Amino acid sequence: MTERKRTPWVVGVSGASGTPYAASVIRGLLAAGESVDLVVSRASRLTLMDETGIAYRDAHWRDDLAEWLQRGADGKPATFARPELDGVRHWAAGDLAAGPSSGSYPVKGMLIVPASTACVAGVALGLSKDLLQRAASVTLKERRPLVVAVRETPLGGQTLRHLVALDEAGAVVLPASPAFYAGATHIQDLVDFVAGRVLDAAGVPHTLYRRWEGQLGTGRPREGSGD
């Protein structure tokens, strides 16, 4: 793929708990043949360290990202095959001169996974305090798809008002709320359901979860044949 024709999805990872959601979304995008521009906020690196033990470093982002994407939602390393990262570009969170900070930089849209309440507030108010928030503001002003996978509970009134503002600005507000009708038997299934819904909102094809087909009981694991 030539650089001239590259049109990526920007994936922003904020400091909320839920780094496995981000990993699943990135794997899904790469599996679909999509390019990714990745922005990992400073706060999210602390969360990533806490949830996975991985130190995400700008100077070693390729190795750190590969390790992260191979890790399962249960924390086990080497759960997934080492990904091919030629389609990924990393941008430092503090680099406000980065490509995604400008509306003239061609992207398909942006996915914020997970989105903290601080991130939601910053985007709703147009603060642009870092590259993640600036890229989201650019996505809205350019009328490109923006999916905000907010990960917080309970939600206070102020955050709810910010989410309404994002919805009114054209964003898709997608709470990280796993469903159980798809027959989940492992924590990875629940994570992949949310990631799949993010990709659905972006119009990216995937096979991360079993879709509802209108028949009750199809999502339940089958019982054994014993008495």
Side-chain angles (χ1 to χ4, degrees):
M1 180 182 297
T2 63
E3 189 66 22
R4 181 174 55 84
K5 296 180 180 180
R6 184 178 184 274
T7 308
W9 285 95
V10 179
V11 176
V13 186
S14 80
S17 176
T19 55
Y21 292 128
S24 183
V25 165
I26 296 169
R27 285 193 299 266
L29 288 170
L30 296 178
E34 300 285 348
S35 297
V36 173
D37 273 22
L38 182 61
V39 182
V40 181
S41 76
R42 291 188 176 94
S44 71
R45 299 175 195 220
L46 297 176
T47 307
L48 182 62
M49 171 66 78
D50 186 53
E51 294 183 344
T52 69
I54 296 171
Y56 190 91
R57 303 157 294 176
D58 289 333
H60 305 280
W61 71 268
R62 189 175 292 274
D63 289 337
D64 297 340
L65 178 60
E67 182 182 358
W68 179 16
L69 296 185
Q70 290 177 88
R71 196 171 294 262
D74 57 3
K76 292 182 180 179
T79 298
F80 297 94
R82 184 179 177 87
E84 174 56 60
L85 299 179
D86 287 347
V88 180
R89 173 181 280 179
H90 162 82
W91 298 100
D95 184 4
L96 291 177
S101 68
S102 172
S104 66
Y105 182 79
V107 302
K108 292 183 177 180
M110 183 172 183
L111 316 174
I112 305 178
V113 188
S116 67
T117 55
C119 173
V120 166
V123 176
L125 297 174
L127 298 182
S128 295
K129 74 177 185 65
D130 61 9
L131 179 58
L132 194 159
Q133 291 185 15
R134 171 59 185 169
S137 294
V138 168
T139 301
L140 288 175
K141 80 179 183 68
E142 297 294 329
R143 303 296 191 266
R144 295 167 180 160
L146 174 64
V147 182
V148 180
V150 60
R151 216 306 305 162
E152 185 61 85
T153 188
L155 293 171
Q158 191 173 45
T159 298
L160 289 169
R161 285 188 286 273
H162 290 151
L163 291 172
V164 169
L166 289 178
D167 175 78
E168 291 175 343
V172 175
V173 175
L174 195 151
S177 301
F180 295 85
Y181 63 77
T185 59
H186 190 275
I187 186 174
Q188 188 68 53
D189 299 324
L190 299 176
V191 167
D192 286 346
F193 178 87
V194 172
R197 295 298 287 151
V198 171
L199 296 177
D200 286 346
V204 176
H206 66 88
T207 56
L208 287 176
Y209 69 88
R210 181 192 304 171
R211 297 184 181 277
W212 176 250
E213 296 180 349
Q215 293 183 327
L216 294 175
T218 57
R220 292 197 303 269
R222 294 185 179 182
E223 298 179 358
S225 57
D227 294 334

